[in-house]
Amino acid sequence: MRAPAVLALTLLVAMPARADDLSDRIEKLEDELRETQAQLKQVQPIVGRISGYIDFGFFRVSGDGSGIRPDLGNVVFPEYKSIIPGGSWVFMGDPLSTTINARGEPADTGPSRAIMFNPVHAGSSPSFILNALNVSLFAGIGETVVVQGIFDLAPRSRNVSSPDGTFLGDFLDVKLAYVEWRPKIDAFALSIFAGKFDSVLGIEYRSEESPDRIGVTPSLICRYTCGRPLGLKARARFGDDLFVINLALSNGSSFLEMFPFYNETDVNDGKTVSARISTKLPIGTGLELGVSGMIGPQDNQTSDSVLQYHIGADLHLEAGDLDLQAEVVKGEADGATDPTPGAPPCGVAPCLDYKGAYGQLAWRLTNWLTPYARVDWRNALHQSGASFIYISDLMRVTGGLRLELGTSVIIKAEYTVNRELGRIPQFDDDIFTSVLVVKY
Amino acid sequence: MKLFGLLLLLVPGVAHAEGGKVVGAVTPARADVVVYLEGLPSKPMEENHPQIKQKDQQFSPRVVVVEKGQTVEFPNEDKIFHNVFSVTDGSKFDLGLYKSGESKAVTFKHPGVVDIYCNIHPNMVAKVKVVDSTAHALTGDDGRFTLADVPAGTYPVVAWQPYGAEWRGQVTVKSGATVELAIPLAPGKPETGHLRKDGTPYGRYK
């Protein structure tokens, strides 16, 4: 009995010492942890990340690869015979209707005179293409400032024997470059942007990058809504996106750089104002409804009194495994005509009158497979004196499959039936295109 | 023995006899308020794993109360990737990216509040309230709660809400009796933002 009693007594005497020792060690560890965290904060005042993707594709467009045909002999649209005799610069169709990648590049621009840059220039040939090596730079400066840049490295062929310079060759496309300030406000979430930022118009800009886009190609109206203007922007979000308002003051419109109504630096004094108001209703993951508009001096001309405007409405519903997105737009660029009697219309500044829409439905069939379908339509008249007239009235139907293999690999393939409407005769311009997108 | 008996009387919440019930309501009435008693140390419950689902790009439920040492399952029921994580001191975890059909689990070892986020979707926010107590309940939409089978005794009672200050009081439970509590609890303002798991702000708004 004596030995256990001695042992118990020894333990009782030793326990407080042991507890003190543990307490000291915990305190020391806590001090070291605090010191390590402080050092970590000192060496990481700017936390950044580099990401991006490689977008490799294969495509074929029927016909001659372009989405336009000249009205030779003014046979279909004789009303333009007095402006452009012979009709070789009266174009029927849409030069951006045969796009083959997320960048919105057509397989070929054919004889186009408004859209001259022909970066793919494949005609009707089936071709592999490295659509883009995309790089995204992101840096958080503290908790409230973000710097974001996105650019594409686009390898394209350059015909060194071509004297007309339309073959640019490999190029760098800076798509986004802005600083965003997110001040801490209790009542709502505010962001203020300066630089080259995302469009305010519509919602398709959100899926402009290849991994984000459900399908491969942009809609027919993306040229009006997906461009990234330069200037200042503010966005306020109230109550878990129940109400969101965007307001921007920029040099020019949100038209795509591919489209000839866009200027990064301004050539007129007036600035363009654009805005979007949206609400998100608690249906499924959320039913988002928005209206947007833009008004300002027409791009690429010097007068402040020549205006262009744009109005649109959009819808996005995610419910269960379904994703429905739709937009409708309408707009006009006034252009300007030489007052001299007999001068062709829109000879001083080009005129554009357009409307269009699309609807896209995707169904996440499994974790890795998403079939999708899109219908889009565009009706537009774009003319510039005796230089060109484009008469566009077309509808496209696209069906495709999206496969996601793990977290980094996406394979997409789609077929688009391209149908000219109204008086425009049918011609071959259907599109098959596919991509392998690997994110890093 | 006398000393031991005296100690029992001094320690709040030590069982003396048949259990009682604590019922009540928080005002203004609302769901997701955790009401619990202190002094009833939790016991490991290996068989009971509450779930926080990832469904329609939200956590469901958004508030869960668990006992210290309890495990919570995080099944992804969306066919898109989510990345559940927490950077709460003492309860940090990162479940990585996974899609529908997969579930991962976390054991919460320390009492307190653990903020749960998705590294991809900033609007996905949940809170796990970890208590060292066997007597706890979540209020319903009507603000009411029930704590059943509470051993007789006097206990500190806490009403905790996801946003705003908590309420503390005391309740005496008698064997076979029901105690009614009215808890005034002013709601706080929800947080307006948080950071990703690497401490950077979320990327572009989409």
Side-chain angles (χ1 to χ4, degrees):
Chain A
M1 280 300 287
R2 186 174 293 172
V6 170
L7 181 63
L9 193 62
T10 307
L11 282 173
L12 278 171
V13 172
M15 275 175 67
R18 172 82 175 144
D20 285 348
D21 182 45
L22 283 173
S23 180
D24 286 347
R25 288 175 64 186
I26 289 169
E27 199 174 323
K28 189 179 170 190
L29 283 171
E30 285 177 344
D31 285 346
E32 284 178 1
L33 182 63
R34 268 193 294 273
E35 182 65 22
T36 306
Q37 285 174 337
Q39 284 179 349
L40 196 63
K41 278 188 177 175
Q42 280 179 344
V43 298
Q44 289 189 314
I46 297 176
V47 181
R49 52 180 183 263
I50 298 175
S51 59
Y53 58 88
I54 190 164
D55 181 345
F56 174 71
F58 178 80
F59 66 91
R60 182 182 184 274
V61 174
S62 59
D64 64 3
S66 80
I68 53 170
R69 299 291 186 275
D71 182 20
L72 295 175
N74 302 104
V75 175
V76 184
F77 293 95
E79 59 267 43
Y80 298 121
K81 188 174 185 177
S82 60
I83 305 170
I84 303 176
S88 53
W89 296 339
V90 176
F91 299 107
M92 303 176 292
D94 183 334
L96 293 181
S97 68
T98 56
T99 52
I100 49 91
N101 59 19
R103 292 183 44 79
E105 294 167 330
D108 208 302
T109 57
S112 179
R113 284 176 62 84
I115 297 171
M116 302 288 285
F117 180 44
N118 197 3
V120 179
H121 197 50
S124 62
S125 302
S127 179
F128 292 105
I129 184 169
L130 183 59
N131 291 309
L133 170 59
N134 175 274
V135 180
S136 174
L137 306 173
F138 178 94
I141 304 172
E143 293 186 6
T144 60
V145 177
V146 164
V147 175
Q148 171 92 60
I150 296 180
F151 60 86
D152 278 353
L153 299 168
R156 298 291 182 268
S157 58
R158 177 170 181 265
N159 186 344
V160 293
S161 62
S162 173
D164 58 16
T166 56
F167 298 93
L168 183 64
D170 296 357
F171 64 90
L172 167 70
D173 181 9
V174 179
K175 300 160 91 176
L176 277 177
Y178 63 79
V179 58
E180 178 186 358
W181 178 42
R182 301 173 183 174
K184 289 190 173 177
I185 299 172
D186 285 343
F188 60 96
L190 176 67
S191 286
I192 295 171
F193 302 81
K196 183 171 181 169
F197 44 73
D198 277 317
S199 166
V200 166
L201 304 180
I203 50 177
E204 194 175 356
Y205 73 87
R206 295 176 191 167
S207 54
E208 216 172 334
E209 298 307 322
S210 189
D212 302 331
R213 185 176 286 289
I214 289 176
V216 180
T217 55
S219 78
L220 288 168
I221 64 168
C222 190
R223 77 195 70 189
Y224 305 123
T225 61
C226 294
R228 275 96 173 216
L230 262 79
L232 301 168
K233 181 171 87 165
R235 182 184 59 228
R237 298 159 57 202
F238 300 85
D240 205 12
D241 288 355
L242 185 65
F243 179 66
V244 181
I245 183 163
N246 262 294
L247 189 64
L249 184 69
S250 56
N251 279 341
S253 67
S254 296
F255 289 6
L256 273 180
E257 213 161 331
M258 276 292 292
F259 195 60
F261 284 82
Y262 179 87
N263 48 251
E264 292 210 341
T265 49
D266 222 341
V267 293
N268 47 56
D269 296 333
K271 295 291 163 270
T272 299
V273 177
S274 49
R276 179 172 179 268
I277 298 171
S278 69
T279 185
K280 197 170 189 178
L281 305 174
I283 298 171
T285 302
L287 170 62
E288 183 180 358
L289 301 167
V291 291
S292 54
M294 174 204 78
I295 189 163
Q298 184 173 316
D299 294 331
N300 288 323
Q301 55 79 45
T302 53
S303 170
D304 288 334
S305 60
V306 179
L307 298 177
Q308 63 186 25
Y309 80 87
H310 168 106
I311 53 171
D314 54 76
L315 171 158
H316 185 208
L317 170 67
E318 282 188 88
D321 298 326
L322 292 177
D323 186 300
L324 173 67
Q325 187 168 315
E327 283 189 62
V328 57
V329 298
K330 176 179 170 50
E332 200 172 315
D334 289 344
T337 300
D338 185 343
T340 308
C346 311
V348 177
C351 310
L352 174 67
D353 189 351
Y354 68 89
K355 47 188 178 289
Y358 76 86
Q360 177 182 276
L361 183 65
W363 180 29
R364 291 188 193 96
L365 196 61
T366 68
N367 279 350
W368 54 273
L369 180 63
T370 304
Y372 60 90
R374 181 183 66 198
V375 177
D376 54 352
W377 159 76
R378 175 173 176 260
N379 179 294
L381 180 65
H382 180 195
Q383 57 182 337
S384 178
S387 294
F388 59 76
I389 297 173
Y390 287 81
I391 305 131
S392 302
D393 193 4
L394 71 155
M395 188 177 79
R396 304 189 307 177
V397 179
T398 302
L401 288 174
R402 174 191 175 98
L403 287 79
E404 289 185 51
L405 309 176
T407 57
S408 300
V409 180
I410 302 166
I411 297 171
K412 297 185 273 188
E414 67 183 34
Y415 190 86
T416 298
V417 176
N418 214 342
R419 286 293 171 264
E420 286 66 38
L421 303 175
R423 291 156 60 191
I424 303 173
Q426 288 298 318
F427 52 86
D428 281 345
D429 52 358
D430 290 354
I431 307 133
F432 168 78
T433 185
S434 57
V435 290
L436 165 69
V437 182
V438 180
K439 298 188 284 182
Y440 63 89
Chain B
M1 278 305 289
K2 275 184 183 173
L3 178 64
F4 182 67
L6 183 62
L7 278 173
L8 275 180
L9 288 173
L10 289 174
V11 175
V14 174
H16 298 298
E18 181 192 350
K21 191 187 281 187
V22 180
V23 299
V26 295
T27 49
R30 61 194 181 280
D32 290 341
V33 174
V34 176
V35 181
Y36 64 99
L37 305 183
E38 291 182 333
L40 289 168
S42 58
K43 300 164 187 169
M45 295 189 300
E46 284 303 319
E47 73 287 355
N48 183 10
H49 292 181
Q51 287 191 335
I52 297 180
K53 296 175 183 172
Q54 301 147 68
K55 177 86 175 156
D56 293 334
Q57 295 177 37
Q58 289 292 343
F59 287 120
S60 177
R62 295 187 189 191
V63 176
V64 165
V65 54
V66 298
E67 295 183 21
K68 187 181 80 169
Q70 203 168 359
T71 298
V72 176
E73 298 277 351
F74 290 90
N76 185 350
E77 297 189 359
D78 280 336
K79 287 178 182 151
I80 56 174
F81 285 106
H82 291 300
N83 182 171
V84 184
F85 75 96
S86 176
V87 290
T88 300
D89 280 344
S91 299
K92 290 184 175 75
F93 67 87
D94 178 6
L95 299 185
L97 288 163
Y98 59 101
K99 269 189 177 182
S100 176
E102 285 187 59
S103 183
K104 297 189 179 183
V106 176
T107 300
F108 293 90
K109 297 173 182 170
H110 309 293
V113 181
V114 183
D115 296 312
I116 313 283
Y117 303 117
C118 173
N119 202 46
I120 303 169
H121 304 99
N123 55 319
M124 291 177 67
V125 177
K127 285 178 183 283
V128 175
K129 173 66 175 170
V130 186
V131 296
D132 188 10
S133 172
T134 54
H136 51 79
L138 264 175
T139 59
D141 290 335
D142 57 0
R144 295 199 63 80
F145 65 89
T146 300
L147 301 172
D149 299 324
V150 179
T154 298
Y155 306 93
V157 57
V158 182
W160 170 89
Q161 57 183 336
Y163 305 102
E166 64 183 22
W167 176 91
R168 300 185 78 87
Q170 187 167 280
V171 64
T172 298
V173 181
K174 292 179 179 171
S175 296
T178 299
V179 186
E180 179 86 23
L181 272 182
I183 300 176
L185 191 64
K189 286 182 180 173
E191 63 185 35
T192 53
H194 60 271
L195 300 174
R196 288 160 41 107
K197 65 185 182 186
D198 62 2
T200 61
Y202 281 80
R204 291 162 59 209
Y205 172 73
K206 292 176 184 174

